[in-house]
């Protein structure tokens, strides 16, 4: 019997290796082409570095398939994980060795289809199975925030990692595996707040009535030596109307807009000298129909002329340190005319209740023309929108710079800042 020519082209390493079709038939009946024959079992002609039995492979080592002797050559190898994702690899020119060219995932089961050809050109086939070692508690897990639900257009997406991630390469791998999709589509970016916390926001606020979903592809990904990605529960939020309330501290007025239209203008009072309200964009963090505000919790000594201990109704929180928009019936005479509070935005009981009932978590509350400090980006609530877009993008790991506003600061929220009681 004559030998088949050995001139078939070996697939390039730059291509994703795809499986060969088995048992393909044409329109004219049986073919005399040896490749149309039923593949033989190539188990005796190939070897792999996958451990035998119940042992698991080291994910730090590439998967390798080789031939035994010169009885056959490898024509194709296709390796997939349990989710059906292909593992890229390289097959050498003479078909004697194939090896994976991307890191294997930890704690993952792989199926490896190997196609061969013997000296007479007959096709062989062997299917191998292997599982890589897991990494227990060293897996890098991610928790997305906020909880699924409906929020205002100013609500950022947060990602809290279970372990710190250092270095530009590792951060880029992690960031690339954390996905945010929105409908309608908008341009957005992650920003590293610290080595365990990322925030995601668009260039401007989310569109009204959008759907935003955050999910992770970290599972099994090798992030650094001995550190592999773990699971992460996806989060889906929806945005409501575009609600933006702007308080002009100099004019003593709050202008409440819904979807760009002025709905109401409210007379207010803000922080007096020495207790000036923070300027900048804030996001509603929560709402409390009743809260007791005690000056001791913000460093004002009991007995001081500035001390207070008051029951407060219809309080909408905008910073973790205790700045609220709330009812202040004791200052109605100054509302619309003077700033007399200890930092909060006060209004009449009726107006405060109206505001309370017309905002939701994630809505935007902005203060302008105050003599107070600027709202910080990350350590006292969601001040993310105060970071210019170019600086926000500089905090992403997909660029060369890891600097930018907020790098190295603590995360906002209950775990990242002291919950001080407010001034009134």
């Amino acid at each position: 019997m004559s030998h088949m020519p050995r001139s078939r082209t070996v697939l390039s390493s730059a291509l994703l290796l795809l499986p060969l079709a088995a048992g393909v038939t044409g329109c004219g009946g049986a073919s005399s082409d040896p490749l149309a024959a039923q593949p033989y079992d190539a188990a005796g002609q190939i070897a792999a570095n996958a451990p035998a039995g119940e042992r698991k492979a080291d994910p730090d080592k590439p998967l390798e398939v080789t031939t035994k002797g010169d009885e056959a050559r490898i024509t194709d190898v296709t390796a997939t994980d349990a989710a059906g994702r292909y593992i890229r690899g390289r097959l050498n020119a003479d078909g004697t060795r194939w090896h994976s060219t991307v890191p294997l995932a930890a704690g993952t089961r792989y199926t490896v289809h190997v196609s061969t050809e013997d000296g007479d050109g007959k096709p062989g086939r062997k299917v191998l199975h292997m599982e890589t070692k897991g990494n227990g508690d060293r897996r890098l897990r991610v928790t997305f925030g906020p909880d699924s639900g409906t929020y205002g257009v100013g609500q950022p997406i947060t990602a809290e990692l279970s372990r710190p991630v250092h270095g530009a390469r590792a951060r880029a791998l992690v960031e690339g595996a954390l996905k945010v999709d929105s409908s309608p589509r908008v341009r957005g970016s992650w920003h590293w707040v610290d080595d365990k916390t990322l925030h995601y926001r668009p260039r401007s606020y989310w569109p009204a009535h959008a759907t935003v979903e955050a999910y992770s592809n970290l599972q099994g990904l090798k992030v650094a030596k001995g550190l592999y990605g773990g699971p992460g529960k996806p989060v889906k939020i929806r945005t409501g109307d575009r609600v933006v309330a702007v308080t002009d501290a100099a004019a003593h007025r709050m202008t409440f807009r819904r979807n760009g239209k002025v709905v109401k203008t409210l007379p207010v009072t803000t922080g007096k000298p020495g207790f000036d309200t923070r300027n900048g964009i804030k996001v509603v963090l929560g709402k409390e129909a009743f809260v007791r505000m005690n000056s001791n919790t913000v460093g004002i000594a009991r007995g001081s002329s500035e001390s207070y201990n008051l029951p407060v109704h219809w309080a909408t929180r905008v910073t973790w340190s205790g700045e609220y928009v709330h009812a202040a019936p004791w200052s109605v005479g100054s509302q619309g005319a003077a700033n007399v509070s200890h930092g909060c935005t006060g209004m009449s009981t009726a107006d405060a209740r109206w505001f309370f009932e017309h905002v939701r978590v994630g809505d935007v509350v902005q203060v302008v023309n105050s003599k107070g400090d600027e709202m910080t980006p990350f350590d006292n609530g969601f001040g993310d929108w105060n970071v210019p877009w170019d600086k926000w993008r500089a905090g992403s790991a997909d660029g060369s710079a890891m600097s930018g506003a907020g790098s190295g600061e603590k995360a906002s929220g209950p775990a990242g800042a002291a919950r001080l009681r407010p001034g009134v």
Side-chain angles (χ1 to χ4, degrees):
M1 179 181 290
S2 62
H3 288 242
M4 292 290 294
R6 309 294 288 262
S7 60
R8 289 187 179 88
T9 301
V10 176
L11 294 177
S12 165
S13 63
L15 299 176
L16 192 64
L17 298 180
L18 300 177
L20 295 175
V24 176
T25 59
C27 297
S31 169
S32 61
D33 187 339
L35 289 179
Q38 182 70 26
Y40 64 85
D41 184 355
Q45 297 177 338
I46 60 171
N49 64 342
E54 297 297 320
R55 292 185 301 155
K56 297 181 180 180
D58 184 349
D60 285 335
K61 297 180 180 179
L63 170 63
E64 183 177 81
V65 181
T66 58
T67 58
K68 296 178 180 179
D70 57 0
E71 297 178 0
R73 70 185 185 113
I74 299 168
T75 58
D76 183 65
V77 176
T78 301
T80 58
D81 64 14
R85 292 173 294 197
Y86 290 89
I87 307 304
R88 292 183 181 273
R90 182 189 299 273
L91 180 62
N92 66 4
D94 60 8
T96 59
R97 178 179 179 268
W98 177 95
H99 68 280
S100 58
T101 56
V102 294
L104 301 180
T108 301
R109 181 175 174 81
Y110 290 98
T111 300
V112 186
H113 296 264
V114 184
S115 297
T116 62
E117 180 182 80
D118 69 6
D120 294 322
K122 294 180 180 179
R125 193 70 51 84
K126 180 61 180 175
V127 179
L128 306 172
H129 299 282
M130 62 170 285
E131 188 171 350
T132 54
K133 298 176 183 177
N135 287 276
D137 291 339
R138 281 199 56 78
R139 288 188 297 175
L140 181 68
R141 300 172 183 268
V142 59
T143 302
F144 291 110
D147 294 336
S148 295
T150 302
Y151 295 85
V153 298
Q155 179 65 49
I157 299 295
T158 64
E160 188 72 24
L161 304 175
S162 60
R163 291 177 174 273
V165 175
H166 305 286
R169 180 182 179 277
R171 286 188 171 191
L173 285 171
V174 171
E175 187 176 323
L178 304 181
K179 305 297 184 181
V180 179
D181 294 335
S182 68
S183 178
R185 293 177 62 87
V186 292
R187 181 187 181 194
S189 173
W190 288 106
H191 182 104
W192 286 80
V193 176
D194 58 33
D195 55 14
K196 293 178 65 175
T197 310
L198 299 89
H199 287 191
Y200 187 100
R201 50 156 271 213
R203 184 168 190 161
S204 56
Y205 305 135
W206 295 106
H209 308 295
T211 300
V212 183
E213 185 172 10
Y215 57 95
S216 171
N217 289 333
L218 272 176
Q219 180 75 46
L221 179 69
K222 182 179 179 180
V223 177
K225 185 176 181 180
L227 180 62
Y228 291 82
K233 182 180 178 181
V235 161
K236 179 183 286 187
I237 71 169
R238 299 182 186 277
T239 60
D241 288 341
R242 180 187 174 100
V243 170
V244 178
V246 179
T247 295
D248 186 329
H252 318 295
R253 291 285 188 275
M254 173 190 281
T255 302
F256 187 102
R257 289 183 173 86
R258 184 181 298 277
N259 298 325
K261 296 181 179 180
V262 175
V263 176
K264 199 165 188 173
T265 300
L266 307 168
V268 300
T269 184
T270 61
K272 60 186 175 181
F275 298 91
D276 299 278
T277 305
R278 296 174 185 83
N279 280 295
I281 301 170
K282 304 154 194 175
V283 172
V284 173
L285 302 174
K287 302 194 297 181
E288 300 170 60
F290 172 81
V291 62
R292 179 165 290 277
M293 298 188 180
N294 190 324
S295 60
N296 290 337
T297 62
V298 291
I300 300 175
R302 184 180 289 110
S304 164
S305 61
E306 299 292 350
S307 66
Y308 53 85
N309 187 347
L310 294 170
V312 175
H313 295 275
W314 311 116
T316 300
R317 183 190 282 269
V318 293
T319 72
W320 294 120
S321 62
E323 184 182 325
Y324 286 83
V325 177
H326 64 76
W330 54 85
S331 66
V332 168
S334 297
Q335 292 164 18
N339 292 325
V340 298
S341 83
H342 288 87
C344 289
T345 298
M347 55 183 64
S348 71
T349 300
D351 285 346
R353 180 169 185 171
W354 183 91
F355 181 83
F356 185 96
E357 292 175 345
H358 285 78
V359 296
R360 58 164 44 100
V361 173
D363 281 341
V364 176
V365 177
Q366 183 175 6
V367 175
V368 298
N369 296 326
S370 171
K371 295 181 180 179
D373 294 335
E374 293 295 319
M375 175 69 176
T376 53
F378 304 115
D379 63 349
N380 197 17
F382 292 120
D384 304 46
W385 305 101
N386 298 293
V387 181
W389 181 244
D390 58 343
K391 291 186 178 180
W392 184 269
R393 286 285 294 119
S396 167
D398 67 3
S400 58
M402 284 307 302
S403 60
S407 293
E409 295 187 46
K410 293 185 72 177
S412 63
R419 293 187 175 217
L420 303 178
R421 281 300 181 189
V424 296

